[in-house]
Amino acid sequence: MSRSPCFLLLKFLVFINNFIYWLIGLGIIAVSLWLIFDEHLYKQTLESQREDYFTGTYFFLCIGAVITVIGFLGSCGAWRESAWMLGTFFAFLCVFLIAELCAVIFLYFKQEFVESIIGKSVEETVLKKYHFNASEASVHTFDKIQEELECCGAEGPRDWSQSVYNKVKEVGFMDNLYRIPRSCCRIPESKACLEATQLQKSDTPDPHILFIEGCATKMTDFVLDNSMFLVAIGIGVILLEIHGMVLSMLLCCAVRRIENMKA
């Protein structure tokens, strides 16, 4: 039985859209497996950070697997004109859409939850993860955050006095002194920076040389100020999913109509 041009166009659109989803899912899986099995990468992290490293990697691996299955169901269902595959694809997208809407609504009305997560993450980095034996990537990343956001520590420069960054003392370095990373300086290469980053615990950090505001507040403000971009991305993803759901449902109905005509 010949197919109408509209049916063939619909079939082509559903196949192409979901084939792209399938490729994206395979890409996420490939990157996740690379992160898991490449010893050079995960050995750069500290023992205390490896649980978070693998948790995040396995999470993305699961996301990639789900996207791959959804893309396979949609593209294969369109190619084979399988109503049950297209229906299953539609159901998966419905679940994804509901989960995303719930997450967006939760984060919108629970901004204090976002602030708490950011604050705890920054505090843990300053107090426990930033030190000479840490991976170069993690130290460089937090240095970049302090420089770009013009902040220092979690709540301020004094936080560094409690950090593991100051647990290892050089010979001749007095116990009542503590260091501050040079990335806290307004001009890191200056001589004044070198002097201002070695303080006694009773000293007040110099606001003319050092950034005084904490990174927890700065990062929270940055996320909230750019929340509209995140919302725009979320809306775009939701519209794409709705578009895929509509196309798959139209194709599924057309396939069922053809099957009924054959019967």
Side-chain angles (χ1 to χ4, degrees):
M1 182 178 178
S2 62
R3 303 288 192 256
S4 69
C6 289
F7 178 86
L8 294 175
L9 176 61
L10 180 61
K11 177 179 175 179
F12 174 77
L13 289 175
V14 173
F15 175 79
I16 290 297
N17 285 345
N18 290 284
F19 185 71
I20 293 173
Y21 291 153
W22 182 69
L23 291 178
I24 292 173
L26 287 179
I28 295 174
I29 290 175
V31 172
S32 299
L33 291 175
W34 173 53
L35 292 173
I36 291 172
F37 292 107
D38 191 322
E39 293 184 3
H40 177 70
L41 286 174
Y42 70 74
K43 282 185 177 179
Q44 289 185 9
T45 61
L46 299 175
E47 290 289 344
S48 59
Q49 298 175 347
R50 286 183 185 173
E51 183 178 353
D52 294 337
Y53 175 88
F54 283 111
T55 299
T57 304
Y58 280 115
F59 172 77
F60 280 106
L61 179 62
C62 293
I63 293 294
V66 172
I67 293 175
T68 301
V69 171
I70 292 176
F72 172 79
L73 288 171
S75 57
C76 190
W79 183 262
R80 296 176 60 85
E81 299 179 10
S82 172
W84 77 264
M85 280 187 170
L86 292 169
T88 306
F89 166 77
F90 180 86
F92 267 117
L93 276 188
C94 278
V95 172
F96 251 57
L97 184 61
I98 292 171
E100 288 167 359
L101 288 174
C102 289
V104 169
I105 292 171
F106 175 80
L107 293 176
Y108 181 81
F109 288 103
K110 292 288 185 179
Q111 290 188 359
E112 65 275 8
F113 175 78
V114 177
E115 295 174 6
S116 174
I117 292 295
I118 294 174
K120 289 179 180 178
S121 176
V122 173
E123 183 179 9
E124 184 176 4
T125 299
V126 172
L127 298 182
K128 300 179 181 179
K129 296 182 179 180
Y130 188 107
H131 53 86
F132 296 109
N133 294 324
S135 67
E136 183 179 347
S138 61
V139 171
H140 178 73
T141 299
F142 196 74
D143 281 339
K144 201 67 178 174
I145 289 172
Q146 293 193 132
E147 292 171 359
E148 295 296 326
L149 296 182
E150 299 185 351
C151 59
C152 185
E155 301 297 331
R158 291 181 183 274
D159 293 339
W160 291 105
S161 65
Q162 305 297 322
S163 171
V164 291
Y165 180 64
N166 282 287
K167 296 300 181 184
V168 179
K169 302 287 188 180
E170 294 179 358
V171 176
F173 200 81
M174 293 182 290
D175 290 336
N176 64 330
L177 295 178
Y178 68 94
R179 298 184 189 85
I180 296 174
R182 294 174 71 92
S183 55
C184 284
C185 291
R186 299 182 185 277
I187 307 176
E189 300 81 11
S190 65
K191 182 179 179 181
C193 172
L194 181 61
E195 296 173 353
T197 51
Q198 296 184 7
L199 300 174
Q200 293 188 13
K201 293 185 178 180
S202 59
D203 290 343
T204 300
D206 189 341
H208 298 97
I209 302 174
L210 301 172
F211 301 127
I212 299 301
E213 192 169 355
C215 291
T217 301
K218 283 279 192 173
M219 287 187 68
T220 301
D221 292 342
F222 177 81
V223 171
L224 295 179
D225 290 343
N226 292 277
S227 59
M228 289 307 298
F229 293 104
L230 300 176
V231 170
I233 293 172
I235 291 174
V237 171
I238 289 172
L239 289 177
L240 284 175
E241 290 177 354
I242 292 175
H243 176 258
M245 290 169 64
V246 171
L247 290 180
S248 66
M249 184 52 62
L250 289 174
L251 183 59
C252 183
C253 292
V255 169
R256 284 189 178 277
R257 193 178 300 114
I258 292 172
E259 291 176 350
N260 292 334
M261 291 173 65
K262 288 181 179 180

